[in-house]
Amino acid sequence: IPIISTMHHPRSTEAATKYFLTQAAASALILFSSMTNAWNTGSWDITQPLTSPSHILLTMALAMKLGLAPLHFWLPEVIQGSTMTTAFIITTWQKIAPMSLIFLTMNNLSTSVFLLMGLLSSLVGGWGGLNQTQTRKIMAYSSIAHLGWMATISSIMTNILIMNLLIYLIMTTSVFLSLIISKSKTIQDTTSTWTLSPTLTIIMLLSLLSLGGLPPLTGFIPKWLIMEELILQNFNLLISMMAMSSLLSLYFYLRLTYTTALTLSPNTTQTKFKWRFYPNTSTMFITTPATISIFLLPMT
């Protein structure tokens, strides 16, 4: 919360308030679910089997902390109101705690609710990102879509869930660091990335395509394994709809790659010399996540 509100600006204050309210509500719901459970069973332990209302409440609360649809409304708003670096922290680091809670209490959470929320999230993440011009909002919707994929697999195989989370964190890190280095806040800003560094445009192109889940890149691993697992469990309709929704997200990734690496806008002579300046931000951190988010597919 202090990180979000350090920028003294109405938008960031609003974002911090929204973040605080949603997270506080979700935490209260977690406490409420364990309370109703203790009332019914006499045990405070959330890793023990829960009663029906409390496990649905716990599922909803964790989904709200993560930002799964239909409780996703805070995520794009908060990310848009904060700086690039803060948005990067919210889309990556903030997801670890709720995910570990889901991993611990998975046996008691409602499977059907998770499958439904996963499907909804991947659809909302696809539809929501189509009309956005701000790169932060696009990343927020892509985050919702990826979390939807994680939610569908979480009740079936938790090891795939953890691997998907790790890969998602690495890919998002790579994309966000490229956006931070090139200072791209809108789609329009990405058009001048080529003046900064040709290597960065290639890395950004491949990272975005990897995030979209195209085969020779790392982003295909989780999608492939999740599809395989869900088809084994006979969720054919569900996985078809999710595959369709991933095409929607692929569209806005492709649009970003198109403006970044595949077009040259008519420029004045000044912008062509942007590369003569030394970058202010350290570019060392981008090397590892970028490499991992491109070349990891043979690991499967």
Side-chain angles (χ1 to χ4, degrees):
I1 292 171
I3 292 174
I4 299 173
S5 55
T6 42
M7 294 289 291
H8 297 291
H9 192 269
R11 277 306 296 271
S12 59
T13 316
E14 184 189 342
T17 313
K18 282 176 179 169
Y19 182 77
F20 168 68
L21 289 173
T22 46
Q23 297 295 328
S27 305
L29 267 178
I30 291 179
L31 288 175
F32 181 60
S33 74
S34 68
M35 224 161 75
T36 47
N37 183 55
W39 194 18
N40 285 318
T41 61
S43 156
W44 284 97
D45 194 351
I46 55 169
T47 51
Q48 301 300 325
L50 304 177
T51 52
S52 187
S54 45
H55 82 234
I56 289 177
L57 271 175
L58 186 59
T59 312
M60 298 296 275
L62 289 171
M64 187 171 176
K65 272 192 174 301
L66 273 178
L68 284 174
L71 307 161
H72 65 281
F73 293 98
W74 62 274
L75 189 63
E77 294 297 317
V78 169
I79 284 181
Q80 187 50 40
S82 49
T83 60
M84 266 299 191
T85 328
T86 316
F88 160 55
I89 295 170
I90 294 172
T91 43
T92 54
W93 196 246
Q94 188 261 329
K95 303 283 174 257
I96 295 174
M99 270 299 179
S100 55
L101 268 178
I102 285 178
F103 180 70
L104 288 174
T105 55
M106 199 53 244
N107 306 329
N108 320 327
L109 299 181
S110 168
T111 309
S112 45
V113 170
F114 258 134
L115 288 170
L116 266 172
M117 279 185 155
L119 177 62
L120 252 176
S121 300
S122 58
L123 287 167
V124 163
W127 287 120
L130 290 181
N131 213 13
Q132 303 298 337
T133 53
Q134 303 279 338
T135 48
R136 276 168 298 188
K137 272 201 169 160
I138 287 180
M139 292 308 291
Y141 280 108
S142 104
S143 171
I144 293 169
H146 277 275
L147 289 167
W149 282 83
M150 284 180 238
T152 44
I153 198 64
S154 60
S155 48
I156 298 163
M157 280 189 85
T158 39
N159 52 358
I160 295 185
L161 162 77
I162 289 179
M163 189 210 58
N164 190 347
L165 179 66
L166 281 172
I167 288 179
Y168 157 75
L169 291 179
I170 291 164
M171 293 191 303
T172 312
T173 306
S174 156
V175 172
F176 256 113
L177 287 176
S178 334
L179 292 174
I180 290 168
I181 291 169
S182 60
K183 297 187 178 65
S184 307
K185 289 186 178 63
T186 57
I187 294 186
Q188 197 181 351
D189 294 341
T190 55
T191 48
S192 62
T193 317
W194 64 275
T195 56
L196 190 69
S197 150
T199 327
L200 188 66
T201 51
I202 295 169
I203 286 178
M204 215 159 150
L205 172 110
L206 289 171
S207 304
L208 281 162
L209 292 180
S210 184
L211 210 51
L214 288 183
L217 307 165
T218 314
F220 183 56
I221 303 176
K223 284 196 167 47
W224 180 17
L225 294 176
I226 290 173
M227 278 189 170
E228 193 172 26
E229 194 53 44
L230 288 177
I231 288 168
L232 276 178
Q233 306 284 349
N234 276 342
F235 291 116
N236 293 331
L237 181 65
L238 173 86
I239 200 62
S240 320
M241 289 173 76
M242 287 187 70
M244 294 292 189
S245 70
S246 78
L247 290 174
L248 292 170
S249 355
L250 186 63
Y251 171 76
F252 56 79
Y253 295 130
L254 277 174
R255 191 171 56 180
L256 267 179
T257 55
Y258 192 73
T259 54
T260 310
L262 301 174
T263 50
L264 277 184
S265 46
N267 287 303
T268 56
T269 38
Q270 274 75 34
T271 52
K272 292 185 182 168
F273 299 123
K274 191 175 168 185
W275 55 269
R276 289 178 184 271
F277 300 118
Y278 197 75
N280 307 334
T281 43
S282 163
T283 51
M284 206 186 77
F285 300 113
I286 196 176
T287 49
T288 323
T291 316
I292 296 176
S293 65
I294 295 168
F295 293 117
L296 214 65
L297 189 68
M299 288 272 287
T300 42

